[in-house]
Amino acid sequence: MVGKKQKRFLKDRELSTLIIYTDCDSFSGCENIVSVLMNDVDFTNQFKTILLYRSSKLYSDQISNRINDISRTYPVPILALHRSKLPSAIRDNLLARGILKALSILFHPLIFIFNFFLLSLRLSRLGRGYILINNGGYPGAGGCLQVAIIAKLLGFKKVFMIVNNVAGKRKTFTKKLSKIYDQIIFSCVDKFISGSEPTGLMLKQNRNFNLKKILCIPNGIERVRFDEESRVRRRNKRYSYNEIITFSIIGVHEERKGHIILLNAVSELLMRRKDFLGRVKVLILN
């Protein structure tokens, strides 16, 4: 008689491997895609799904409550210098921030090599299937970009990268180096996946990425909203004269979150629809 472990082993051998890599300290909003895929029975019946993440006690504690099968989750103890992890007295001190930034630049080559080695070692042991990199933005986390390069070098079938926030512009003093590094990352990734069209367009505008490699999949939105009947109903909706229309955005108050896109869209809407003046409310929550 074949036991449960043996059945699972035989099943895994027949499935293609999908590795999900994330570099977050905690299970924030953009991490929901991780639990959705790891817990989806239909999806895990098609792929042997594995989660690889930067070692973090907080993240480890949180995934135990979010992912049904934590035996397929693997932390990697890569190094990262984050100001957010320091005591507030140091974190909010300009001198301390300057020193931390200088140390980060000084030790960056060594940290890069160390992390590259550890990630290569772990990925080489997990097969050569597909990999989905859940990046916070672009360039986002250094580990996410390294994983894209490593996966390509190891011969993974496909490399996908989710870009959750608006891509930042290249910094002036490192513009040439950033351009070269972007070209390397672009060549290693088969598809960049964004949760909205503006996010995808910013990859083109700020990083000069070809739109052919950028795929928009609205994230966290109910599927029923894309049904033809639902779309027609929304387009034909009429608001009463005194009805308040509310737009909202929740997230850290940083440029990469795209608050300005919402504000510009509301401004354009009010220019087109004068009857909405005085009836629109915008909520920005941190």
Side-chain angles (χ1 to χ4, degrees), residues 152-212:
K152 191 69 174 180
L153 292 174
L154 290 176
F156 274 69
K157 293 177 182 177
K158 293 287 183 181
V159 180
F160 304 102
M161 181 180 289
I162 297 176
V163 178
N164 290 295
N165 298 313
V166 175
K169 294 181 179 178
R170 296 189 183 106
K171 296 179 180 178
T172 305
F173 61 93
T174 58
K175 196 168 184 178
K176 290 185 178 179
L177 288 175
S178 294
K179 186 176 181 180
I180 295 170
Y181 199 43
D182 283 346
Q183 290 172 346
I184 294 172
I185 300 301
F186 184 78
S187 66
C188 292
V189 176
D190 293 283
K191 280 289 184 184
F192 291 89
I193 303 171
S194 68
S196 67
E197 289 183 4
T199 304
L201 290 172
M202 285 297 122
L203 283 170
K204 166 64 177 174
Q205 182 176 313
N206 292 340
R207 295 287 168 161
N208 200 32
F209 284 3
N210 192 321
L211 288 174
K212 290 182 179 180

Side-chain angles (χ1 to χ4, degrees), residues 118-152:
L118 281 184
L119 289 167
S120 299
L121 198 63
R122 173 58 76 178
L123 284 170
S124 65
R125 295 172 177 173
L126 294 176
R128 302 289 191 277
Y130 302 90
I131 188 160
L132 177 66
I133 303 165
N134 192 35
N135 203 359
Y138 193 91
C144 289
L145 303 185
Q146 286 182 312
V147 165
I149 298 172
I150 294 166
K152 191 69 174 180

Side-chain angles (χ1 to χ4, degrees), residues 3-276:
K4 288 184 178 180
K5 288 186 177 180
Q6 287 83 359
K7 285 182 179 179
R8 176 171 160 180
F9 174 75
L10 293 171
K11 177 186 173 183
D12 286 349
R13 289 188 64 184
E14 298 171 358
L15 299 178
S16 294
T17 300
L18 173 75
I19 298 171
I20 303 173
Y21 178 79
T22 184
D23 206 296
C24 282
D25 284 319
S26 62
F27 211 98
S28 55
C30 62
E31 296 299 291
N32 285 328
I33 187 65
V34 175
S35 57
V36 167
L37 293 179
M38 294 289 289
N39 294 334
D40 190 285
V41 176
D42 291 336
F43 191 80
T44 53
N45 281 337
Q46 297 179 58
F47 295 96
K48 177 187 174 184
T49 314
I50 295 169
L51 173 63
L52 199 63
Y53 65 97
R54 176 163 58 84
S55 183
S56 161
K57 185 180 184 305
L58 179 59
Y59 196 95
S60 296
D61 291 341
Q62 290 173 331
I63 61 171
S64 63
N65 297 320
R66 306 257 187 160
I67 295 177
N68 298 333
D69 184 5
I70 60 171
S71 68
R72 286 183 170 170
T73 64
Y74 302 93
V76 184
I78 61 175
L79 301 177
L81 294 176
H82 288 298
R83 182 165 58 91
S84 60
K85 294 300 178 183
L86 297 173
S88 59
I90 299 175
R91 183 176 67 240
D92 300 329
N93 183 284
L94 288 177
L95 178 61
R97 288 168 63 176
I99 293 172
L100 181 67
K101 186 66 176 178
L103 290 173
S104 177
I105 294 171
L106 181 64
F107 289 105
H108 183 267
L110 292 176
I111 293 174
F112 183 94
I113 294 169
F114 178 80
N115 290 346
F116 198 92
F117 173 76
L118 281 184
L119 289 167
S120 299
L121 198 63
R122 173 58 76 178
L123 284 170
S124 65
R125 295 172 177 173
L126 294 176
R128 302 289 191 277
Y130 302 90
I131 188 160
L132 177 66
I133 303 165
N134 192 35
N135 203 359
Y138 193 91
C144 289
L145 303 185
Q146 286 182 312
V147 165
I149 298 172
I150 294 166
K152 191 69 174 180
L153 292 174
L154 290 176
F156 274 69
K157 293 177 182 177
K158 293 287 183 181
V159 180
F160 304 102
M161 181 180 289
I162 297 176
V163 178
N164 290 295
N165 298 313
V166 175
K169 294 181 179 178
R170 296 189 183 106
K171 296 179 180 178
T172 305
F173 61 93
T174 58
K175 196 168 184 178
K176 290 185 178 179
L177 288 175
S178 294
K179 186 176 181 180
I180 295 170
Y181 199 43
D182 283 346
Q183 290 172 346
I184 294 172
I185 300 301
F186 184 78
S187 66
C188 292
V189 176
D190 293 283
K191 280 289 184 184
F192 291 89
I193 303 171
S194 68
S196 67
E197 289 183 4
T199 304
L201 290 172
M202 285 297 122
L203 283 170
K204 166 64 177 174
Q205 182 176 313
N206 292 340
R207 295 287 168 161
N208 200 32
F209 284 3
N210 192 321
L211 288 174
K212 290 182 179 180
K213 267 196 177 185
I214 300 170
L215 175 66
C216 174
I217 302 177
N219 189 9
I221 298 176
E222 296 173 351
R223 293 180 183 177
V224 68
R225 296 190 188 185
F226 296 94
D227 294 343
E228 185 62 27
E229 182 181 341
S230 178
R231 288 159 64 184
V232 170
R233 185 171 62 251
R234 289 199 311 276
R235 289 171 181 171
N236 294 331
K237 184 175 180 179
R238 294 292 180 267
Y239 295 91
S240 61
Y241 181 75
N242 60 349
E243 188 175 357
I244 299 297
I245 304 167
T246 303
F247 297 91
S248 63
I249 183 169
I250 303 173
V252 178
H253 293 174
E254 293 182 2
E255 182 182 0
R256 65 190 177 91
K257 289 294 184 181
H259 294 74
I260 192 64
I261 294 173
L262 172 63
L263 296 177
N264 286 337
V266 172
S267 177
E268 185 176 337
L269 174 66
L270 293 177
M271 290 176 65
R272 295 183 183 184
R273 296 289 300 269
K274 301 299 183 183
D275 56 314
F276 282 0

